[in-house]
PDB file of all heavy atoms in Angstrom:
ATOM      1  N   TYR A  36      90.118 149.726 119.845  1.00 96.00           N
ATOM      2  CA  TYR A  36      90.723 149.166 120.997  1.00 96.00           C
ATOM      3  C   TYR A  36      92.192 149.115 120.817  1.00 96.00           C
ATOM      4  O   TYR A  36      92.746 149.062 119.684  1.00 96.00           O
ATOM      5  CB  TYR A  36      90.219 147.709 121.263  1.00 96.00           C
ATOM      6  CG  TYR A  36      88.799 147.637 121.873  1.00 96.00           C
ATOM      7  CD1 TYR A  36      87.687 147.648 120.987  1.00 96.00           C
ATOM      8  CD2 TYR A  36      88.558 147.460 123.213  1.00 96.00           C
ATOM      9  CE1 TYR A  36      86.476 147.534 121.406  1.00 96.00           C
ATOM     10  CE2 TYR A  36      87.254 147.355 123.622  1.00 96.00           C
ATOM     11  CZ  TYR A  36      86.244 147.397 122.778  1.00 96.00           C
ATOM     12  OH  TYR A  36      84.898 147.289 123.284  1.00 96.00           O
ATOM     13  N   LEU A  46      89.474 149.934 125.582  1.00 93.00           N
ATOM     14  CA  LEU A  46      88.835 150.672 124.736  1.00 93.00           C
ATOM     15  C   LEU A  46      89.490 152.120 124.634  1.00 93.00           C
ATOM     16  O   LEU A  46      89.887 152.678 125.595  1.00 93.00           O
ATOM     17  CB  LEU A  46      87.321 151.024 125.190  1.00 93.00           C
ATOM     18  CG  LEU A  46      86.512 151.864 124.294  1.00 93.00           C
ATOM     19  CD1 LEU A  46      86.094 151.142 123.069  1.00 93.00           C
ATOM     20  CD2 LEU A  46      85.147 152.314 125.010  1.00 93.00           C
ATOM     21  N   LYS A  49      84.813 155.249 120.995  1.00 90.00           N
ATOM     22  CA  LYS A  49      83.658 154.566 120.378  1.00 90.00           C
ATOM     23  C   LYS A  49      82.781 155.537 119.656  1.00 90.00           C
ATOM     24  O   LYS A  49      82.638 156.590 120.097  1.00 90.00           O
ATOM     25  CB  LYS A  49      82.856 153.710 121.353  1.00 90.00           C
ATOM     26  CG  LYS A  49      82.197 154.616 122.506  1.00 90.00           C
ATOM     27  CD  LYS A  49      81.497 153.752 123.523  1.00 90.00           C
ATOM     28  CE  LYS A  49      80.884 154.565 124.596  1.00 90.00           C
ATOM     29  NZ  LYS A  49      80.244 153.800 125.636  1.00 90.00           N
ATOM     30  N   GLY A  98      74.141 147.479 120.773  1.00 47.00           N
ATOM     31  CA  GLY A  98      74.854 147.329 121.987  1.00 47.00           C
ATOM     32  C   GLY A  98      74.654 145.896 122.625  1.00 47.00           C
ATOM     33  O   GLY A  98      73.559 145.439 122.718  1.00 47.00           O
ATOM     34  N   GLY A  99      75.819 145.298 123.017  1.00 49.00           N
ATOM     35  CA  GLY A  99      75.662 144.017 123.637  1.00 49.00           C
ATOM     36  C   GLY A  99      75.577 142.913 122.577  1.00 49.00           C
ATOM     37  O   GLY A  99      75.703 141.761 122.971  1.00 49.00           O
ATOM     38  N   LYS A 101      77.083 140.817 119.140  1.00 78.00           N
ATOM     39  CA  LYS A 101      78.549 140.445 118.839  1.00 78.00           C
ATOM     40  C   LYS A 101      79.263 141.593 118.281  1.00 78.00           C
ATOM     41  O   LYS A 101      78.844 142.284 117.366  1.00 78.00           O
ATOM     42  CB  LYS A 101      78.517 139.192 118.171  1.00 78.00           C
ATOM     43  CG  LYS A 101      78.201 139.308 116.726  1.00 78.00           C
ATOM     44  CD  LYS A 101      78.341 137.922 116.118  1.00 78.00           C
ATOM     45  CE  LYS A 101      78.175 137.851 114.566  1.00 78.00           C
ATOM     46  NZ  LYS A 101      78.194 136.454 113.954  1.00 78.00           N
ATOM     47  N   THR A 102      80.562 141.727 118.661  1.00 87.00           N
ATOM     48  CA  THR A 102      81.476 142.626 118.152  1.00 87.00           C
ATOM     49  C   THR A 102      82.468 142.046 117.334  1.00 87.00           C
ATOM     50  O   THR A 102      83.079 140.961 117.759  1.00 87.00           O
ATOM     51  CB  THR A 102      82.077 143.410 119.292  1.00 87.00           C
ATOM     52  OG1 THR A 102      81.061 144.108 120.192  1.00 87.00           O
ATOM     53  CG2 THR A 102      83.024 144.578 118.743  1.00 87.00           C
TER      54      THR A 102
ATOM     55  N   TYR B  33      81.459 137.538 126.549  1.00 94.00           N
ATOM     56  CA  TYR B  33      81.852 137.122 125.244  1.00 94.00           C
ATOM     57  C   TYR B  33      83.154 136.304 125.473  1.00 94.00           C
ATOM     58  O   TYR B  33      84.028 136.501 126.264  1.00 94.00           O
ATOM     59  CB  TYR B  33      82.310 138.356 124.432  1.00 94.00           C
ATOM     60  CG  TYR B  33      81.229 139.439 124.192  1.00 94.00           C
ATOM     61  CD1 TYR B  33      80.686 140.223 125.167  1.00 94.00           C
ATOM     62  CD2 TYR B  33      80.603 139.558 122.926  1.00 94.00           C
ATOM     63  CE1 TYR B  33      79.720 141.155 125.023  1.00 94.00           C
ATOM     64  CE2 TYR B  33      79.684 140.454 122.664  1.00 94.00           C
ATOM     65  CZ  TYR B  33      79.206 141.284 123.729  1.00 94.00           C
ATOM     66  OH  TYR B  33      78.205 142.270 123.451  1.00 94.00           O
ATOM     67  N   TYR B  35      86.377 135.172 122.885  1.00 97.00           N
ATOM     68  CA  TYR B  35      87.131 135.359 121.599  1.00 97.00           C
ATOM     69  C   TYR B  35      88.285 134.530 121.648  1.00 97.00           C
ATOM     70  O   TYR B  35      88.835 134.057 122.707  1.00 97.00           O
ATOM     71  CB  TYR B  35      87.559 136.828 121.400  1.00 97.00           C
ATOM     72  CG  TYR B  35      86.519 137.859 121.146  1.00 97.00           C
ATOM     73  CD1 TYR B  35      85.607 138.348 122.146  1.00 97.00           C
ATOM     74  CD2 TYR B  35      86.163 138.142 119.856  1.00 97.00           C
ATOM     75  CE1 TYR B  35      84.650 139.252 121.908  1.00 97.00           C
ATOM     76  CE2 TYR B  35      85.138 139.067 119.513  1.00 97.00           C
ATOM     77  CZ  TYR B  35      84.358 139.598 120.509  1.00 97.00           C
ATOM     78  OH  TYR B  35      83.319 140.471 120.318  1.00 97.00           O
ATOM     79  N   TYR B  48      78.700 134.666 122.439  1.00 90.00           N
ATOM     80  CA  TYR B  48      78.327 135.620 123.575  1.00 90.00           C
ATOM     81  C   TYR B  48      77.061 135.204 124.216  1.00 90.00           C
ATOM     82  O   TYR B  48      76.185 134.654 123.599  1.00 90.00           O
ATOM     83  CB  TYR B  48      78.377 137.000 123.142  1.00 90.00           C
ATOM     84  CG  TYR B  48      77.144 137.695 122.667  1.00 90.00           C
ATOM     85  CD1 TYR B  48      76.331 138.336 123.574  1.00 90.00           C
ATOM     86  CD2 TYR B  48      76.601 137.625 121.386  1.00 90.00           C
ATOM     87  CE1 TYR B  48      75.095 138.957 123.193  1.00 90.00           C
ATOM     88  CE2 TYR B  48      75.446 138.266 120.924  1.00 90.00           C
ATOM     89  CZ  TYR B  48      74.761 138.939 121.904  1.00 90.00           C
ATOM     90  OH  TYR B  48      73.625 139.488 121.527  1.00 90.00           O
ATOM     91  N   SER B  58      77.632 131.562 116.845  1.00 91.00           N
ATOM     92  CA  SER B  58      77.940 131.269 115.466  1.00 91.00           C
ATOM     93  C   SER B  58      79.408 131.188 115.187  1.00 91.00           C
ATOM     94  O   SER B  58      79.880 130.760 114.154  1.00 91.00           O
ATOM     95  CB  SER B  58      77.320 132.345 114.548  1.00 91.00           C
ATOM     96  OG  SER B  58      77.851 133.684 114.915  1.00 91.00           O
ATOM     97  N   SER B  98      72.963 145.243 126.117  1.00 60.00           N
ATOM     98  CA  SER B  98      72.276 146.160 125.188  1.00 60.00           C
ATOM     99  C   SER B  98      71.752 147.404 125.864  1.00 60.00           C
ATOM    100  O   SER B  98      71.661 147.498 127.131  1.00 60.00           O
ATOM    101  CB  SER B  98      71.110 145.339 124.539  1.00 60.00           C
ATOM    102  OG  SER B  98      70.157 145.052 125.503  1.00 60.00           O
ATOM    103  N   GLY B 102      76.930 151.879 128.527  1.00 56.00           N
ATOM    104  CA  GLY B 102      78.011 151.035 127.996  1.00 56.00           C
ATOM    105  C   GLY B 102      78.123 151.007 126.512  1.00 56.00           C
ATOM    106  O   GLY B 102      79.198 150.765 126.046  1.00 56.00           O
ATOM    107  N   GLU B 105      80.584 148.743 124.884  1.00 84.00           N
ATOM    108  CA  GLU B 105      81.923 148.642 125.253  1.00 84.00           C
ATOM    109  C   GLU B 105      82.266 147.293 125.975  1.00 84.00           C
ATOM    110  O   GLU B 105      81.589 146.979 126.895  1.00 84.00           O
ATOM    111  CB  GLU B 105      82.325 149.834 126.166  1.00 84.00           C
ATOM    112  CG  GLU B 105      83.722 149.832 126.620  1.00 84.00           C
ATOM    113  CD  GLU B 105      83.980 150.882 127.572  1.00 84.00           C
ATOM    114  OE1 GLU B 105      83.220 151.749 127.720  1.00 84.00           O
ATOM    115  OE2 GLU B 105      85.147 150.978 128.147  1.00 84.00           O
ATOM    116  N   LEU B 106      83.330 146.699 125.519  1.00 90.00           N
ATOM    117  CA  LEU B 106      83.748 145.384 126.087  1.00 90.00           C
ATOM    118  C   LEU B 106      84.892 145.691 127.009  1.00 90.00           C
ATOM    119  O   LEU B 106      85.868 146.416 126.690  1.00 90.00           O
ATOM    120  CB  LEU B 106      84.207 144.417 124.958  1.00 90.00           C
ATOM    121  CG  LEU B 106      83.115 144.074 123.901  1.00 90.00           C
ATOM    122  CD1 LEU B 106      83.661 143.135 122.967  1.00 90.00           C
ATOM    123  CD2 LEU B 106      81.874 143.703 124.435  1.00 90.00           C
TER     124      LEU B 106
END
Side-chain angles (χ1 to χ4, degrees):
Chain A
Y36 284 82
L46 184 71
K49 64 183 179 184
K101 73 179 184 184
T102 302
Chain B
Y33 300 73
Y35 288 84
Y48 95 91
S58 61
S98 61
E105 175 182 354
L106 304 183

